[in-house]
Amino acid sequence: MPLVAAHSAGGADSRTLDQHWRVALDPGDRGTGDGWFARVLQDMVELPGSLEQAGIGNRPSVDTPWTGDLNDKSFFTSPDYARYRDPAAFKFPYFLQPSHWYRGAAWYQREIDIPADWDGKSIELFLERAHWETRVWIDGRSFGANQALHVPHRYRLGALAPGRHRLTIRVDNRMIVEIGHNGHGVTDHTQGNWNGITGRIELRADGPHWFEGVELHPDLPNRTLVVRGRVAAIGKGRRAQMVQLEAGGRTSQAALDWAEDGAAFDARLAFDAGEAEALRPWSEFTPVLHRATLSLGDGTRWEGLYGWRDLRGGPEGFTLNGRPLMLRGTLECAIWPLTGHPPTTRPEWDRLMQRVRDYGLNHLRFHSYCPPAAAFEAADAAGIYLQIETVWANQSVAIGQGQPVDRWVYDETERVLAEHGNHPSFLLMSHGNEPGEGSGGKPAEARRDAFLAGYVRHFRARDPRRFWTAGTGWPLLPESQYHVTPTPRIQDWGAGLHSRINGKPPETQTDYRDFIARYAAPVVSHEIGEWCVYPNLDERPKYSGYLKPKNFDIFEDRLRANGLLPLASAFVRSSGKLQVQCYKEDIESALRTPGMGGFQLLGVQDFPGQGTALVGIADPFWDEKAYVTAAAFRRFCAPTVPLVRMASRIARAGADFAFTIDIAHFGATALDEAEIGWTIRTEEGAMLAEGRFPGRRIPIGNAPLDLAVKCPLSAPRATAARLEVTVRQGARQIAANDWDIWIYPARPTPSLRAVDRLRHASGFDAETLRHLEEGGDALIGLHPKTIANYAETPVKLGFSSLFWNTAWTGRQPPTTLGLLCDPEHPALAHFPTEAHSNWQWWYLIHRAGALRLDLLPPGLSPIVRIIDDWVTARPLALMIEAQLGRGRAIVCGFSTRAEDCADPVSQQMIASLSAYMQGGAFAPRTRVTSEQLRRLTVAG
């Protein structure tokens, strides 16, 4: 299927209308009836811009009618939030807080001067990024309304007499059409529901002819450029009869077929196979753009850029220009903290596309909105594949049920195609995100699916330059040319502690080939990741616009109140390291899947809304976070990524350790004479094993290579190691990736004989407490069901980081963000670990509960701390040590009984703790009572 596109630029004379405008707010909708378009407004504002940027509107309060769902209503009722509801110190916890907000009509007005040389020409008013509905008057005469949300509003004013005129524009940012109030084109969760015009504001003069609706359809397999459009004219004068097309050094002419409203044309150019320069294709590796020019005999011209590309798809995934293509994508959700609205100029988008590249990605999905033209232009130049959407018709509205949103989606899609359809980067389109069917059950679901099937059929025929899907997330309909579904991922919505990452031992073998084999179209995994990191309080000074992270102030207060504020930076680092591990396995699971169409991350960038979803490995400004660089991320997310399939990350010393090596290679060409090497080194750098496969050809794709390795690993003590795989061509390293593994001796070390002083217990029974009071030591391992939890917001401990956040998900587990410890603590001397959770900790965490430090004396510093959700920010621990009477104890939030510790990791932890307790370094600083210890358990 040939797919191509371009962007256009007209040749009209234009005048900018930036800078000073008069303004008046109209919350009561009196302006139209009272004729405000015929009076002189008084207040001033700068355009382009928004009212909110100008500090015009209302101050936020508990009564603000936010646009979007607030799944967690506790802010409005909970005593914990009482001081933040105070109007004088209002702070909102769920998204960035604007200094001002406004909903309703606002009137903008200024004088315009029509030059003498525009006399007799047709004048167009161009409004880029108006939010939302506009109505226009010139000297009191109405020129209608426009309800486009994502594309420029254009008003054909016709001929205006030279001289001064008064232009009045009414902008209304209410939900003009109920299209779903969580969609990123309208919601306060990201860009905010602002009022204004934030892009170019221009008057353009055309005549006597001008071009309209030009579409470029390059057909790469047939080497043909087809250009369709219309020519319009002003007045009854002489009409042009031919249009000339120039491109790639060739020209052709087409006749104009005039009707009352203009003349349609269909111009074509055919190229020979030998014209390689004129046919250079567009892709991520060669983002080559070509220029097409249309002209009429009177000098009227139109120019646009296009790219040759040929997108195809099937059960084996995508191909582009005959080369296998796997989408490595992330979302862009209209997150622009400095302005609220997406920028309409190139520099900001050029930077964003480069950041996409920096993180090894080639794809950007615009969640439930369409960006300005500058984004398409930047993506064209950078070779980034875009998916465009119009709505998120769920929660507040249902699609396919005969509501106004149905017609609007069709109309907006047409407007998007007319404005941006010629861009080669515009590869994919969906009507929108996760469509709802309302409360009508199966019949409503059937209506939704029938509507979306019709949508795909209609637009596949209307515009075959891109692939179409029924919806992003669901439904998976046979009409779709590709599917985007949340099924292939390691943690799905609602999976909680039963997901693969939380419920099953760590491995790197799982892929999704059985799932994608069910479908005849390419499958892309939907919004994988959603792994959170702790809020970085030091980020706040970067918010220099009208949107402020007041939620971070609340989080800081919670930390301070619970005595945890000094640990804030450490929480960021440790939770961040865990977050990266989660993303790595999510991405590699997709890369391991032969024929996978790709993945869309949620996401590289933090999402500041929906309860605060800090899921980014970059902050909302696309800046790197301190715990992971873009270069480190590219080791497992890039055009070429080495992959390892291991049944377990845990090895026994002396036994064979087996794995296989694959390469996901979606580069520009196959790799000839590529040498694949592997090493296993300790964390200190000592070589444990190494090997190399002779030079071979690595084709484009990710079909299994079946490179098997089996090697014994020797380690006299518990050892953390790293398996690294490299791909080289001669002296040049093409790619490298690595995986943490742990090697444990056949018997835990050190091997210690039992001593009467050290008692092993599973609770705080009277005998154990008496043993401690009399000077004995006790290692106490609690079963998670016996551990005291919080009644209202219980801790739900899991291995992974938070999924999205607790406020939006109804506290889906886990509600924690991993562990924090001191690797140099003598209790961990024989248990190799970093300061953060890594995969070996799964064996302990998945059967553990959180110990409540608030039930113990202040100042108790745990051996291993659990990082609680930032909303509650409670002091929690996995292991503590304390004095009781003349004795000493370690209490673990997991069972230490032999029958519960069959895995090497648990056995090694018990050995390390036992060695510490029998050594001279065991000196707990905090004294507790028997009653305080009993409080840690339900029985207590």
Side-chain angles (χ1 to χ4, degrees):
M1 172 182 168
L3 298 180
V4 245
H7 78 264
S8 61
D13 191 6
S14 63
R15 299 287 189 273
T16 182
L17 300 180
D18 293 356
Q19 296 186 348
H20 308 300
W21 288 68
R22 298 186 293 276
V23 66
L25 304 188
D26 186 12
D29 282 328
R30 296 172 39 234
T32 303
D34 290 353
W36 288 15
F37 47 79
R39 67 173 63 169
V40 177
L41 307 182
Q42 298 302 315
D43 295 328
M44 301 300 295
V45 71
E46 297 291 313
L47 291 181
S50 68
L51 295 178
E52 290 76 7
Q53 280 182 292
I56 298 173
N58 310 293
R59 295 285 186 179
S61 72
V62 293
D63 299 318
T64 299
W66 301 112
T67 302
D69 282 330
L70 301 177
N71 287 8
D72 179 4
K73 304 295 196 302
S74 62
F75 172 78
F76 300 97
T77 58
S78 172
D80 290 342
Y81 286 113
R83 60 172 163 154
Y84 307 113
R85 297 192 291 266
D86 181 350
F90 184 79
K91 293 182 179 180
F92 200 59
Y94 302 134
F95 44 75
L96 297 178
Q97 181 174 314
S99 61
H100 295 78
W101 67 271
Y102 180 72
R103 300 289 179 274
W107 296 70
Y108 301 87
Q109 188 182 79
R110 62 164 290 169
E111 273 62 53
I112 58 174
D113 292 307
I114 303 301
D117 59 358
W118 282 17
D119 190 16
K121 292 188 175 183
S122 180
I123 298 174
E124 178 187 70
L125 174 64
F126 177 88
L127 308 175
E128 185 181 25
R129 226 59 192 177
H131 193 82
W132 180 356
E133 180 191 73
T134 61
R135 295 180 180 271
V136 169
W137 291 263
I138 300 286
D139 298 332
R141 175 189 170 194
S142 173
F143 283 85
N146 192 312
Q147 293 185 351
L149 180 61
H150 302 106
V151 301
H153 294 195
R154 300 172 187 267
Y155 289 87
R156 182 59 62 175
L157 307 177
L160 295 178
R164 176 154 291 196
H165 301 266
R166 179 181 300 149
L167 168 62
T168 306
I169 304 173
R170 179 185 183 271
V171 180
D172 193 337
N173 67 325
R174 288 170 291 194
M175 291 293 283
I176 304 304
V177 178
E178 178 52 81
I179 61 172
H181 57 206
N182 291 317
H184 298 313
V186 295
T187 187
D188 281 306
H189 284 290
T190 52
Q191 65 171 304
N193 190 0
W194 44 271
N195 185 300
I197 306 168
T198 59
R200 290 170 293 162
I201 307 173
E202 296 175 349
L203 289 174
R204 299 173 174 180
D206 297 295
H209 298 93
W210 63 92
F211 288 95
E212 293 181 338
V214 177
E215 292 187 1
L216 291 88
H217 292 255
D219 180 346
L220 182 57
N222 294 306
R223 304 187 302 278
T224 303
L225 174 64
V226 178
V227 182
R228 302 187 184 99
R230 297 184 64 80
V231 174
I234 189 169
K236 302 292 185 179
R238 181 181 177 87
R239 302 290 176 87
Q241 298 302 308
M242 301 292 292
V243 61
Q244 179 168 288
L245 167 63
E246 300 177 48
R250 288 179 173 264
T251 62
S252 69
Q253 289 191 331
L256 291 172
D257 183 15
W258 284 95
E260 186 68 25
D261 60 346
F265 65 88
D266 186 321
R268 298 168 182 261
L269 283 175
F271 295 86
D272 295 331
E275 296 178 88
E277 188 63 27
L279 292 168
R280 288 182 65 197
W282 183 94
S283 74
E284 62 187 288
F285 306 107
T286 57
V288 178
L289 298 173
H290 303 270
R291 185 176 303 276
T293 302
L294 297 170
S295 59
L296 304 177
D298 63 0
T300 301
R301 291 171 61 86
W302 178 98
E303 289 186 348
L305 300 178
Y306 66 94
W308 299 96
R309 59 169 170 75
D310 180 25
L311 178 66
R312 299 172 187 260
E316 300 301 319
F318 295 107
T319 64
L320 184 68
N321 307 335
R323 177 193 297 120
L325 166 67
M326 188 174 189
L327 299 173
R328 303 182 307 278
T330 189
L331 273 62
E332 206 295 288
C333 300
I335 299 168
W336 298 91
L338 297 183
T339 60
H341 56 266
T344 57
T345 51
R346 276 288 297 274
E348 299 91 336
W349 288 107
D350 286 336
R351 177 181 182 269
L352 186 149
M353 299 303 166
Q354 182 57 53
R355 297 304 286 154
V356 170
R357 285 282 197 190
D358 291 344
Y359 284 97
L361 303 171
N362 62 4
H363 170 46
L364 200 58
R365 172 198 163 202
F366 288 92
H367 182 306
S368 60
Y369 95 107
C370 175
F376 291 89
E377 294 166 5
D380 288 347
I384 301 297
Y385 310 122
L386 305 183
Q387 176 177 307
I388 304 303
E389 299 173 5
T390 63
V391 296
W392 184 2
N394 204 334
Q395 290 93 28
S396 63
V397 71
I399 201 161
Q401 311 304 314
Q403 300 179 47
V405 63
D406 296 351
R407 181 70 260 164
W408 189 89
V409 164
Y410 266 79
D411 291 344
E412 190 76 350
T413 302
E414 288 286 358
R415 290 187 286 254
V416 168
L417 293 176
E419 192 68 34
H420 305 302
N422 291 334
H423 288 275
S425 57
F426 187 177
L427 199 72
L428 308 166
M429 186 155 188
S430 165
H431 90 282
N433 182 62
E434 299 175 359
E437 69 279 357
S439 57
K442 291 295 183 182
E445 184 177 299
R447 290 192 295 271
R448 177 199 69 187
D449 292 357
F451 173 85
L452 293 173
Y455 173 89
V456 172
R457 286 193 301 268
H458 173 82
F459 283 107
R460 282 182 65 171
R462 157 72 178 83
D463 191 343
R465 294 175 291 178
R466 51 201 41 88
F467 270 20
W468 297 84
T469 191
T472 307
W474 59 78
L476 278 61
L477 302 181
E479 288 80 5
S480 292
Q481 294 171 287
Y482 70 105
H483 302 298
V484 186
T485 170
T487 300
R489 58 199 284 181
I490 65 175
Q491 176 97 16
D492 204 353
W493 181 278
L497 302 181
H498 302 290
S499 64
R500 174 157 66 93
I501 191 172
N502 282 296
K504 296 181 179 180
E507 43 83 13
T508 65
Q509 295 187 129
T510 299
D511 63 36
Y512 309 120
R513 68 183 78 187
D514 291 342
F515 176 79
I516 68 171
R518 305 175 197 171
Y519 301 97
V523 173
V524 177
S525 53
H526 172 60
E527 297 184 359
I528 68 170
E530 305 189 41
W531 302 117
C532 283
V533 65
Y534 213 81
N536 178 14
L537 303 179
D538 295 335
E539 184 184 290
R540 286 174 289 181
K542 298 174 74 170
Y543 293 82
S544 58
Y546 75 93
L547 294 169
K548 302 295 185 185
K550 300 292 186 179
N551 47 353
F552 279 33
D553 295 346
I554 298 175
F555 306 151
E556 180 182 47
D557 290 344
R558 292 281 168 84
L559 286 168
R560 183 183 294 107
N562 289 323
L564 298 175
L565 186 56
L567 296 172
S569 295
F571 284 175
V572 174
R573 287 193 301 272
S574 286
S575 63
K577 292 291 187 181
L578 173 61
Q579 176 200 44
V580 173
Q581 294 285 4
C582 296
Y583 271 112
K584 186 175 190 291
E585 179 55 27
D586 239 331
I587 291 169
E588 290 183 0
S589 295
L591 293 177
R592 287 195 292 264
T593 305
M596 188 85 180
F599 58 83
Q600 296 173 342
L601 294 172
L602 184 54
V604 170
Q605 178 192 29
D606 276 340
F607 186 100
Q610 293 187 10
T612 312
L614 304 174
V615 297
I617 41 90
D619 67 19
F621 305 88
W622 282 87
D623 293 333
E624 286 184 350
K625 294 184 177 179
Y627 56 83
V628 61
T629 64
F633 195 82
R634 278 202 311 276
R635 286 176 70 88
F636 56 85
C637 183
T640 305
V641 176
L643 300 167
V644 158
R645 296 179 189 262
M646 298 179 285
S648 174
R649 290 175 175 268
I650 305 303
R652 281 290 197 185
D656 283 341
F657 180 67
F659 58 93
T660 60
I661 297 173
D662 293 327
I663 308 294
H665 173 59
F666 292 91
T669 61
L671 297 175
D672 291 319
E673 292 301 313
E675 188 178 75
I676 300 172
W678 62 271
T679 60
I680 300 178
R681 300 176 186 269
T682 67
E683 57 185 355
E684 294 84 14
M687 184 72 74
L688 297 178
E690 62 180 323
R692 199 165 297 278
F693 292 93
R696 60 185 294 142
R697 190 173 196 270
I698 300 176
I700 300 175
N702 60 345
L705 299 180
D706 297 322
L707 301 179
V709 176
K710 184 182 289 186
C711 61
L713 297 178
S714 177
R717 63 184 184 277
T719 301
R722 181 160 295 168
L723 165 60
E724 182 179 53
V725 176
T726 58
V727 180
R728 309 184 72 90
Q729 282 183 315
R732 184 168 73 99
Q733 180 171 291
I734 304 298
N737 196 6
D738 58 85
W739 299 263
D740 294 326
I741 63 173
W742 291 265
I743 307 162
Y744 295 98
R747 292 186 177 183
T749 59
S751 179
L752 303 171
R753 62 182 180 85
V755 294
D756 292 339
R757 178 180 177 84
L758 178 57
R759 179 184 180 88
H760 291 258
S762 58
F764 305 117
D765 56 275
E767 189 173 344
T768 297
L769 294 174
R770 184 169 54 252
H771 175 78
L772 288 166
E773 291 282 5
E774 293 175 354
D777 296 334
L779 175 58
I780 303 168
L782 304 177
H783 191 282
K785 290 185 178 179
T786 69
I787 296 175
N789 209 325
Y790 295 85
E792 293 187 4
T793 52
V795 179
K796 301 169 186 176
L797 178 62
F799 169 76
S800 76
S801 185
L802 282 176
F803 178 79
W804 199 234
N805 63 69
T806 58
W808 188 261
T809 66
R811 293 189 60 79
Q812 286 186 24
T815 62
T816 53
L817 296 99
L819 307 177
L820 173 63
C821 66
D822 177 5
E824 301 302 317
H825 193 293
L828 303 174
H830 302 285
F831 186 84
T833 184
E834 300 105 325
H836 58 87
S837 299
N838 208 330
W839 296 103
Q840 86 277 28
W841 282 100
W842 179 92
Y843 293 88
L844 297 166
I845 294 173
H846 91 282
R847 58 186 189 85
L851 304 176
R852 290 179 54 180
L853 295 180
D854 62 316
L855 301 176
L856 298 173
L860 187 149
S861 181
I863 298 172
V864 178
R865 189 181 293 274
I866 294 170
I867 304 174
D868 189 29
D869 170 26
W870 59 80
V871 175
T872 45
R874 298 164 298 202
L876 305 172
L878 185 66
M879 294 187 288
I880 64 169
E881 58 183 336
Q883 298 180 48
L884 175 60
R886 292 183 291 115
R888 303 167 298 178
I890 287 181
V891 181
C892 303
F894 52 84
S895 172
T896 56
R897 296 186 304 177
E899 57 266 36
D900 297 324
C901 299
D903 63 274
V905 179
S906 297
Q907 293 170 1
Q908 188 59 45
M909 176 60 80
I910 304 305
S912 186
L913 294 177
S914 298
Y916 170 57
M917 297 180 77
Q918 293 184 41
F922 186 32
R925 298 180 180 179
T926 302
R927 184 172 295 279
V928 298
T929 65
S930 296
E931 180 56 32
Q932 288 170 332
L933 285 183
R934 286 196 187 99
R935 292 176 190 166
L936 294 176
T937 63
V938 176

